């Protein structure tokens, strides 16, 4: 603990005292906010795209929550690092070993943000395994052979919608 304070509003102007901490924190916050080129961007984009295919309204609500999270992070960065200094306390910047502990994580976020294939292929296999029980239940409910592929299943809309017969 570099400070004797634990309140969020007790900090300000930290960029002048702790420039390395400021840089690492800002890069990590922007990665957390799904800055394009980071792994979080790929994950949130795929999630929102998948949700949009199922229900655009839920996707819109999720998108708004992402925007609110970014606004919170930007306000936090502005207050802590670029806002008015709140105390006369001098804080030490991060040490070399602390920076070296964080740097690989940030580099990995950018690496997988530009090349997500290794993680995406593993996630795809896990998603298939997790979805197998639901797919089997759906096959069972519709009387389709248990060896059917997902392509052989009726579309989601056809499953949910009742059959309509023309009025006579």
């Amino acid at each position: 603990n570099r400070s004797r304070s634990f309140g969020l509003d007790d900090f300000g102007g930290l960029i002048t005292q702790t420039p390395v901490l400021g840089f690492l924190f800002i890069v990590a916050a922007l990665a957390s906010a799904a800055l394009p080129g980071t792994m979080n961007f790929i994950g949130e984009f795929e999630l929102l795209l998948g949700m949009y295919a199922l229900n655009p309204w839920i996707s819109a609500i999720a998108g708004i929550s992402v925007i609110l999270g970014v606004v919170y992070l930007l306000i936090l960065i502005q207050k802590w690092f670029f806002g008015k200094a709140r105390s006369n306390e001098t804080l030490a910047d991060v040490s070399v070993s602390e920076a070296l502990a964080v740097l690989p994580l940030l580099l990995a976020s950018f690496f997988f943000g530009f090349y997500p294939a290794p993680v995406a292929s593993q996630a795809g296999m896990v998603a298939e395994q997790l979805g197998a029980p639901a797919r089997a239940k759906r096959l069972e409910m519709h009387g389709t052979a248990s060896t059917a592929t997902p392509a052989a299943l009726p579309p989601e809309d056809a499953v949910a919608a009742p059959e309509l017969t023309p009025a006579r």
Side-chain angles (χ1 to χ4, degrees):
N1 184 11
R2 297 182 198 284
S3 173
R4 292 184 274 304
S5 174
F6 294 101
L8 293 178
D9 290 331
D10 295 339
F11 298 100
L14 293 178
I15 200 72
T16 57
Q17 292 182 29
T18 58
V20 176
L21 173 66
F23 174 77
L24 293 174
F25 186 91
I26 291 168
V27 171
L30 293 176
S32 176
L35 182 73
T38 62
M39 187 62 182
N40 288 0
F41 175 78
I42 300 296
E44 285 188 19
F45 179 76
E46 291 289 329
L47 179 74
L48 291 173
L49 191 63
M51 287 175 26
Y52 182 80
L54 293 175
N55 188 332
W57 288 106
I58 293 176
S59 182
I61 292 169
I64 290 169
S65 72
V66 169
I67 292 168
L68 292 174
V70 171
V71 168
Y72 171 76
L73 285 171
L74 291 175
I75 290 171
L76 185 69
I77 289 169
Q78 192 281 324
K79 278 184 169 182
W80 279 5
F81 293 99
F82 302 104
K84 181 183 173 204
R86 305 232 194 269
S87 90
N88 295 331
E89 185 178 0
T90 303
L91 299 176
D93 205 355
V94 296
S95 67
V96 173
S97 61
E98 291 169 331
L100 289 176
V102 174
L103 202 55
L105 298 173
L106 294 177
L107 292 175
S109 177
F110 284 103
F111 175 78
F112 289 119
F114 287 104
Y115 183 64
V119 175
S121 64
Q122 292 296 316
M125 291 188 309
V126 170
E128 286 293 325
Q129 291 174 353
L130 290 174
R135 193 169 33 260
K137 183 70 173 174
R138 186 170 165 216
L139 288 169
E140 183 182 302
M141 287 175 39
H142 297 288
T144 311
S146 62
T147 58
T149 63
L153 291 172
E156 295 288 331
D157 294 338
V159 172
E163 294 209 4
L164 301 175
T165 55
R168 295 185 186 210

